Amino acid sequence: DISTEINGLKFKNPIMPASGCFGFGEEFSEFYDLNILGGIAIKSITPETRFGNPTPRVAETPSGMLNSIGLQNPGLNKVIENQLVFLEQFDTRILANVAGATEEDYIEVIEALNDLDVVDAFELNISCPNVNHGGIGLGTNPELAFNITKLAKKHSRKPLYVKLSPNVTNIVEIAQAVEKAGADAIVMINTLIGMKIDIKSRKTLIARKIGGLSGPAIRPIAIAMVYKVYEAVNIPIIGVGGIETCDDVIEFLMAGASAVQIGMQNFINPYVCKEIIEELPSKLKEYGFNSVKEVIGVAHE
Ligand code: DHB
């Protein structure tokens, strides 16, 4: 049995693409049937159309990908009219990632999506490294994280998952703050802040200078953080960070994640989620498990 549960909400399997790495699924639906996915965390939605940051906004480094997209998205109304209508046809959980510059922005998006059946849960993005307001500022301070979570929870009529930033001294206190504020689950981790300088041009490779680092280099960091937060909170964790293989998924489950998200690897291999879902039953068996649920947290004493 490869199904899992987040606070009683059933997922057919624990695998979902991470926000920002799958758009709204349109392009990937040409590669495979999206019905196989446990869920999809769609790109952040903001009230207005956003064209994103100046280019270049993606750079490769020997240890991963840097990006500073700037929350590019069609904006709330267009997403409701187009992308969410497209997603209605699929039997998979849709996590609507919510972002904004102000508290009012977050509330506006949540209220507009509250009555849409296609959205199964909200994923509150308080960890975007590339916008000055809202974004990461809220996710690096326990009080601000508590306040925005509490406010979002008050306006939300769907499960509220909060996506945490790893760019903090102690992620455990942020996790505890959002739990106390009523978060139904934690998604962790978002990207780590990084920079790449081109020697020849003597300039940063990303126009906005810093970007979010993703890829396998961040996986041990994510595993350690999931492991620590699992011991400190009583809400489920969705693990994210550098997953490339089925073994990486099992490692996150053992650390304490109830489900996982796969980000950058979708750009390298668009079939990665499908391949991992297909491999998961035999891998579980190989390691002596009958179900995904049995694996969650086994690395803890
Ligand atoms: C962006 C948002 C993120 O949450 C992230 O980790 C990286 C990039 C963005 O849209 O710029």
Side-chain angles (χ1 to χ4, degrees), residues 20-264:
C21 301
F22 211 73
F24 297 89
E26 290 115 318
E27 292 90 350
F28 283 86
S29 72
E30 291 172 20
F31 288 103
Y32 60 87
D33 180 3
L34 303 187
N35 284 304
I36 64 158
L37 294 168
I40 304 173
I42 57 180
K43 178 65 184 168
S44 291
I45 305 170
T46 56
E48 311 299 334
T49 306
R50 286 182 63 97
F51 298 97
N53 288 340
T55 57
R57 51 194 197 178
V58 179
E60 283 183 50
T61 84
S63 34
M65 187 185 100
L66 283 172
N67 87 86
S68 176
I69 305 301
L71 300 179
Q72 181 181 350
N73 78 99
L76 180 58
N77 291 337
K78 290 206 183 86
V79 171
I80 291 174
E81 281 165 31
N82 303 310
Q83 283 77 15
L84 291 180
V85 171
F86 165 78
L87 287 168
E88 268 172 23
Q89 65 182 295
F90 301 107
D91 172 28
T92 185
R93 297 296 184 192
I94 302 297
L95 276 53
N97 187 295
V98 180
T102 63
E103 289 183 343
E104 289 72 29
D105 285 354
Y106 284 91
I107 296 169
E108 185 178 341
V109 176
I110 286 170
E111 294 206 318
L113 302 180
N114 259 336
D115 294 321
L116 299 185
D117 286 341
V118 61
V119 174
D120 292 287
F122 294 118
E123 181 177 83
L124 202 66
N125 185 356
I126 57 166
S127 46
C128 172
N130 302 320
V131 289
N132 293 328
H133 304 286
I136 201 167
L138 298 170
T140 53
N141 175 307
E143 267 165 55
L144 296 179
F146 176 89
N147 291 342
I148 187 71
T149 303
K150 184 122 188 155
L151 187 73
K153 183 68 187 171
K154 193 175 109 191
H155 290 268
S156 167
R157 292 200 294 276
K158 295 182 188 290
L160 181 72
Y161 306 166
V162 181
K163 187 163 180 183
L164 301 190
S165 172
N167 301 293
V168 294
T169 311
N170 182 8
I171 200 164
V172 169
E173 65 179 10
I174 311 279
Q176 287 171 326
V178 304
E179 177 184 41
K180 201 167 151 211
D184 296 294
I186 286 169
V187 183
M188 61 188 291
I189 56 175
N190 206 316
T191 53
L192 277 133
I193 281 178
M195 180 186 275
K196 171 81 181 158
I197 295 168
D198 178 58
I199 305 279
K200 287 220 173 80
S201 69
R202 306 177 181 186
K203 290 201 166 79
T204 58
L205 272 181
I206 298 244
R208 278 290 188 87
K209 299 188 170 75
I210 65 147
L213 180 71
S214 56
I218 76 167
R219 195 170 59 239
I221 301 168
I223 293 286
M225 288 181 166
V226 167
Y227 189 96
K228 281 199 275 184
V229 167
Y230 179 82
E231 298 199 339
V233 302
N234 289 309
I235 50 177
I237 299 168
I238 300 176
V240 204
I243 292 175
E244 298 175 296
T245 67
C246 199
D247 279 3
D248 299 339
V249 171
I250 290 168
E251 192 183 356
F252 269 98
L253 297 173
M254 288 184 167
S258 295
V260 298
Q261 295 180 351
I262 300 176
M264 197 208 70

